[in-house]
């Protein structure tokens, strides 16, 4: 045994020994204690424990890494996740960093530390700061990170291996009959055609996500259907990379989250007619934008500095859904905000909602939920609904999206009875 004594320390005894493993430079690998011990006997006992762990294959190299640093390293390994998922994981890290567990050395974090962090997060529910679903996401991320740390030998065992997650919340979506969807579309077509009509139409009658609608390119949609291949979203640059305008993110067509999200959605004839009319409308808007720019540049009175002038039509990605004045792209957050404000301020919409108070909290995503329920109401199988929505689990679709409407079950019995009528004549 090799015990080292360091003067003027409260815990002056350290151990150091050779493992017998020869390194590339010809020397032998040594193990050093990263903490001191009060007595020589304690240091010798710790050395024996380390040697026994090496013999059994359970020894973990000492590290000064904190739990917070481990969480960041774990997130850095997730190279194929969507930008929105990365933002969600980073938010979970930020929530955990508010608890002392984040500053604790990784190899000293124990079950009680993790449990105390869990209680801390639960306390945020009472203050209204975090929801139970957010806490579930945070703790699930923490469990996965500790499991990863154990897999890569940063720790021997995960202190979160027995952590209990909050139960999954019940589906929050609003599912409304197609008659209500059509009435809302009639209102929006008159009152907010430019910004809301296309997203509500494609969410309510094709089941597309808002980010998918923002990313539809004109060459990917026809009377045969919509080829769903991208999301349009804002993606953060790599650390240290700054754009010329000083921002640290850029809008781009990003890959979809799962393989099942890549799909071709057939389009109803009336929907295609509405989309075709919108495309023609955009074509006219594009001509007007260029005409307006031409007049501006040729105005003898007004001098324009062309160096700082943005393009008259900015739809370089050939998107379907853009601002009609300049072709600039829409993003999900903007569209959702427009929908919320429209519900609160448009008189016609307010009158409709007064008759249907159950729809006052209806989100844009609920048009997609309603699409699933209306398909089921018409007798479409859950498997087909699952594929149209881009899910990979039909049970999830049944439980969350394809919920029965008020008369769905009655329609099923009526259909069954109609099929039995001839047989019932002879039976009765």
């Amino acid at each position: 045994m090799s015990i080292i004594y360091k003067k003027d320390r409260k815990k002056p005894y350290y151990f150091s020994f050779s493992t017998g493993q020869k390194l590339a430079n010809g020397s032998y690998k040594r193990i050093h204690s990263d903490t001191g011990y009060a007595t020589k006997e304690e240091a010798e006992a710790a050395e024996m424990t380390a040697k026994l762990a090496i013999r059994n294959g359970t020894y973990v190299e000492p590290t000064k890494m904190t739990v917070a640093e481990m969480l960041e390293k774990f997130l850095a390994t997730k190279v194929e996740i969507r930008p929105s998922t990365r933002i969600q994981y980073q938010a979970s890290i930020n929530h955990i960093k508010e608890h002392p567990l984040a500053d604790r050395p990784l190899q000293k974090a124990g079950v009680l530390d993790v449990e105390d962090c869990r209680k801390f997060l639960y306390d945020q529910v009472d203050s209204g700061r975090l929801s139970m679903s957010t806490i579930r996401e945070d703790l699930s991320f923490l469990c996965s990170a500790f499991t990863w740390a154990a897999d890569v030998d940063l720790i021997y065992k995960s202190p979160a291996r027995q952590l209990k997650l909050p139960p999954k919340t019940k589906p929050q979506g609003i599912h409304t009959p197609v008659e209500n969807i059509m009435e809302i579309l009639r209102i929006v077509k008159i009152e907010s055609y430019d910004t809301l009509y296309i997203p509500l139409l494609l969410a309510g009658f094709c089941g597309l996500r808002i980010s998918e609608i923002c990313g539809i390119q004109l060459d990917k949609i026809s009377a045969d259907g919509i080829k769903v291949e991208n999301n349009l979203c804002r993606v953060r640059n790599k650390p240290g990379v700054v754009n010329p305008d000083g921002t640290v993110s850029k809008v781009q067509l990003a890959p979809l989250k799962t393989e099942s999200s890549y799909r071709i959605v057939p389009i109803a004839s009336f929907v295609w007619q509405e989309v075709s009319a919108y495309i023609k409308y955009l074509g006219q808007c594009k001509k007007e934008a260029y005409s307006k720019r031409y007049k501006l540049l040729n105005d003898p009175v007004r001098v324009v500095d062309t160096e700082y002038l943005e393009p008259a039509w900015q739809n370089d990605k050939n998107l379907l859904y853009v601002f009609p004045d300049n072709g600039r792209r829409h993003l999900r957050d903007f569209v959702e905000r427009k929908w919320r404000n429209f519900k609160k301020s448009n008189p016609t919409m307010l009158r409709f909602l007064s008759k249907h108070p159950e729809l006052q909290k209806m989100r844009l995503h609920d048009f997609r939920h309603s699409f699933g329920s209306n398909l089921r109401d018409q007798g479409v199988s859950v498997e087909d609904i699952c594929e149209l929505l881009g899910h990979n689990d039909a049970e999830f679709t049944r439980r969350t999206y394809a919920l029965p409407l008020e008369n769905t079950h009655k329609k099923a019995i009526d259909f069954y009875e109609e099929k039995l009528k001839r047989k019932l004549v002879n039976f009765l």
Side-chain angles (χ1 to χ4, degrees), residues 19 28 45 75 96 115 136 146 162 200 216 225 229 243 273 297 306 323 365 374 384 391 393-394 405 428:
T19 64
Y28 288 91
L75 179 57
I96 296 168
E115 181 63 22
R136 181 181 174 84
F146 272 121
Q162 294 182 342
L200 296 190
I216 295 175
E229 293 184 333
N243 298 330
Q273 289 174 8
L297 295 177
T306 57
F323 282 95
H365 196 69
N374 282 299
D384 286 336
H391 294 159
D393 182 3
L405 298 175
L428 296 175

Side-chain angles (χ1 to χ4, degrees), residues 187 191 343 346-357:
I187 296 171
E191 305 287 347
K343 288 190 301 177
N346 183 268
T348 310
M349 192 66 197
L350 287 171
R351 285 194 296 271
F352 172 80
L353 292 176
S354 67
K355 299 176 183 177
H356 301 277

Side-chain angles (χ1 to χ4, degrees), residues 156-167:
Y156 177 52
K157 284 184 180 180
S158 166
R161 59 189 180 276
Q162 294 182 342
L163 184 64
K164 292 184 179 180
L165 301 180

